[in-house]
Amino acid sequence: MNLGVYRTMLANSIQQVLIYRTTSILIVIFGLLFYIIEMFAGMVYFSYTDNILGWTKWDYFSLVTTASIIQYSYNLIFVWGVSGLISNIIEGNLDYIILRPLNSFWYYALYKADFPSIINIILGIIVQSWIISKRNLSVLQILLYILCVLIGIWFIFLLNYLVVMVSFWKEKSEALMWIPETLMENSTRPASIYPKWIQILLMWILPALTSINLPVDIIRGRINVMNMCWYIIFVTVFTVIIYKMWYAGLRKYQSSN
Amino acid sequence: MKKYFIIALNQITIRLQYKFNVFIAFISRMVPIFMFYFIWNNIYNSISADKVGHYDRNQMLTYMVLVNLTGYVFTFVHIRELGIRVYKGKLTTLLLRPLSLLGESFATFAGRVFFPMLVYLSAIVFQGVTGHFKSPLYFMEVIVFVILCFIMFFYVISFVSTVAFWLIDIWPVHVILIGVYLLFSGVYFPLDLLPEKIYDIVKYNPFSLVGYISIRSIQNAFSHKEMLIYIISVIMWGIILKVCYGKAFKAGLRRYEGMGA
């Protein structure tokens, strides 16, 4: 897929924002609402203690803010493609995509951007920059933080895409959509609060906890290098698997349109 | 009455049909419960005092697990029904039929949450029979309160769902409502940890009644007088929301074009 096509798709998305203004405003509001709830809950938690297993109040706020940046960046770039897949498979709407002389994987993943999410991303970046500015961080730490945030966005996309692609094989499986959402929601907490078996599961088998915790661990200067290397290898292999799964799914797909 | 019963039964059958979906939804709801459990457990591990507010560790952890379980019964999924019908113009078919739209909607909602509601009520009845509650009268008050909460919650959903006549897509409202529910129902922390003045106002909101107050009532936290006040609050909310629904629905119908958007 080339840049020109993507630019057209972005232009379409902007038009959609302008047409559905109320919906767009609501998307911004709910993003802010969830962020405020998380921060508010953090304030309540830390009004009783200064430190939860080595996490200070500002570490916790940094974690919540990083999760918000990652989640809304995923929404900005990918969420429309992912969320529409289940119904498009059932209703046979993929025909129009397969017929196009484009890479269907990328076309489908990127075909619409969710521009209202930008507001929440900007807010997150401002808050996080402020939190970071209060610490004495090296340039390398900041660059690594940004890199890990980007990998985190990609990881969430892969996880969501994996789940919705199950619809190629299993009908009426919308509830699966809850799994990545729940998984990411739970990863917005310090990894150390969980029992060892959950940490092993969500850091080494399916590194959802790593995807949100790692950027903040970099800021806190507490990186587990082994886990970071494993995470990068995992995401690379996961990318190849998802790409192949898409085409396996398309072969399975039967148009009912 | 029979037709509404059939509608509810139909929804129950759908739940039984798509067992995989129901199972996954169950699992995904269980996970956040663990999260809140672990976070509060670690807060207790990190403080020197035994109590947070009025809660010792056991009370808090029981509260967190139960309040999160209420999400099975008080679910907002039904809020999209009207929106889909308005958007696709299918509301016309229903308007032509000789049935009450609110009745049909209630039957669908009741059928949808039949199993979680059955488990919820059975658990309360079991606790009552085994002598958990401080008196038989209190037990009855809890049962009445929970059933009224269920009806009031349906009116919350019905009222909010009428925005479908004005909005092209209902899902952002659904998500906002989940957010408001999380904030005001006491899912993250018990509401009485808030400053007293805020708590005194917040505790009467519909989400607090179905979440925080319901669970605290099950934990024997209130007096008979308080329970009576909460029962009256639920009834008043129910009446207000029903009236609002009626007015919003009438206004919405005037906007409704009768065909797919």
Side-chain angles (χ1 to χ4, degrees), chain A residues 187-200:
Chain A
S187 303
T188 317
R189 299 290 177 278
S192 49
I193 68 159
Y194 293 107
K196 270 277 169 284
W197 67 272
I198 294 185
Q199 289 185 35
I200 291 170

Side-chain angles (χ1 to χ4, degrees), chain A residues 173-232:
Chain A
S173 53
E174 293 96 328
L176 278 175
M177 287 286 287
W178 284 88
I179 293 180
E181 204 175 311
T182 315
L183 216 53
M184 296 328 291
E185 190 191 330
N186 286 281
S187 303
T188 317
R189 299 290 177 278
S192 49
I193 68 159
Y194 293 107
K196 270 277 169 284
W197 67 272
I198 294 185
Q199 289 185 35
I200 291 170
L201 185 72
L202 296 181
M203 290 176 82
W204 296 97
I205 297 172
L206 185 66
L209 261 178
T210 312
S211 69
I212 306 289
N213 271 249
L214 180 61
V216 185
D217 281 340
I218 290 167
I219 292 174
R220 298 166 71 221
R222 298 188 185 187
I223 318 173
N224 180 336
V225 180
M226 280 283 282
N227 188 247
M228 186 168 81
C229 293
W230 164 244
Y231 173 56
I232 292 167

Side-chain angles (χ1 to χ4, degrees), chain B:
Chain B
M1 197 64 200
K2 191 184 163 193
K3 52 195 171 193
Y4 300 111
F5 181 71
I6 292 171
I7 293 166
L9 205 64
N10 196 20
Q11 284 298 323
I12 295 170
T13 317
I14 291 171
R15 292 291 160 285
L16 290 171
Q17 200 96 31
Y18 296 107
K19 288 183 272 295
F20 176 71
N21 221 17
V22 173
F23 174 71
I24 294 294
F26 174 75
I27 296 289
S28 58
R29 282 277 175 83
M30 284 301 287
V31 180
I33 298 174
F34 288 114
M35 180 188 80
F36 286 114
Y37 179 90
F38 293 130
I39 200 145
W40 275 105
N41 200 23
N42 281 303
I43 289 174
Y44 277 91
N45 285 341
S46 62
I47 58 172
S48 48
D50 295 338
K51 283 192 169 185
V52 170
H54 303 111
Y55 301 82
D56 63 28
R57 188 190 294 251
N58 275 342
Q59 283 170 328
M60 178 65 86
L61 296 180
T62 312
Y63 169 82
M64 289 317 297
V65 170
L66 291 178
V67 82
N68 277 284
L69 283 173
T70 55
Y72 284 104
V73 181
F74 303 108
T75 161
F76 292 103
V77 181
H78 186 67
I79 208 166
R80 298 186 182 196
E81 287 295 301
L82 184 66
I84 292 167
R85 284 169 179 167
V86 171
Y87 183 69
K88 294 186 174 172
K90 287 184 177 171
L91 188 66
T92 317
T93 331
L94 268 179
L95 289 171
L96 291 172
R97 284 183 191 160
L99 47 75
S100 144
L101 213 65
L102 198 62
E104 187 269 348
S105 179
F106 185 74
T108 310
F109 177 65
R112 194 170 241 165
V113 296
F114 176 75
F115 289 114
M117 192 65 192
L118 192 68
V119 174
Y120 192 51
L121 282 176
S122 307
I124 296 173
V125 170
F126 178 76
Q127 296 276 17
V129 173
T130 53
H132 165 81
F133 293 108
K134 53 189 174 190
S135 72
L137 176 65
Y138 188 84
F139 169 48
M140 286 312 294
E141 284 165 353
V142 172
I143 290 282
V144 169
F145 178 71
V146 167
I147 292 171
L148 286 172
C149 275
F150 175 70
I151 297 167
M152 187 264 294
F153 187 76
F154 168 72
Y155 284 128
V156 174
I157 292 179
S158 302
F159 172 52
V160 180
S161 72
T162 55
V163 297
F165 289 110
W166 290 271
L167 269 187
I168 194 85
D169 207 339
I170 195 85
W171 72 263
V173 180
H174 181 187
V175 181
I176 286 182
L177 215 56
I178 292 174
V180 175
Y181 182 83
L182 288 177
L183 194 61
F184 291 112
S185 69
V187 168
Y188 279 78
F189 50 85
L191 295 176
D192 55 354
L193 294 187
L194 291 168
E196 206 175 327
K197 281 183 182 166
I198 300 176
Y199 168 65
D200 281 339
I201 301 167
V202 167
K203 67 181 175 184
Y204 294 112
N205 85 75
F207 302 127
S208 156
L209 291 167
V210 300
Y212 169 76
I213 301 287
S214 291
I215 299 307
R216 291 300 285 152
S217 69
I218 293 168
Q219 288 186 311
N220 283 311
F222 303 123
S223 64
H224 292 300
K225 192 184 159 196
E226 284 173 307
M227 280 309 291
L228 187 65
I229 293 171
Y230 293 133
I231 287 173
I232 293 169
S233 308
V234 174
I235 294 172
M236 285 188 47
W237 271 115
I239 294 169
I240 293 168
L241 288 161
K242 191 177 180 206
V243 171
C244 291
Y245 165 80
K247 289 194 182 302
F249 191 78
K250 265 187 190 161
L253 273 189
R254 280 196 290 274
R255 280 180 62 96
Y256 178 59
E257 290 167 359
M259 59 178 82

